[in-house]
Amino acid sequence: MNDEAWLLDVVKRCGVHEARASALARAGAQMLRRLAIKCPPGVFGKGECCRRAVALELAAREAGGANLRREALLTACSSRPAAYDRVLRHAESALGARTMSS
């Protein structure tokens, strides 16, 4: 499954309406590409499985309005909350304050 299809599936599982889901998945794919530039693959170590879910959460924050369920994101990436939070903090730091939650 390619990244955008995985992101779309996760967005739908998070309860986002169909009309908004594809746009959010595309934004997530774009965020994933930005993240790949700032944090090359392998930099997250064991947390690498969280990369796509973190990119999706950051894209949702940047777009505003879409509130994704953290439990669904954790289930989708098969990760523990501590590892997910570590990757999220690292990604926020690498991408800058504009994607951080207020």
Side-chain angles (χ1 to χ4, degrees), residues 38-88:
K38 297 287 186 174
C39 303
V43 81
F44 296 133
K46 291 183 179 180
E48 202 60 46
C49 61
C50 303
R51 182 182 287 270
R52 293 188 290 188
V54 164
L56 189 57
E57 181 172 337
L58 292 174
R61 285 185 195 174
E62 196 171 75
N67 204 4
L68 301 178
R69 293 179 322 185
R70 176 68 62 95
E71 299 81 32
L73 292 172
L74 288 169
T75 301
C77 67
S78 303
S79 177
R80 295 175 311 148
Y84 183 89
D85 289 337
R86 183 177 52 82
V87 172
L88 181 61

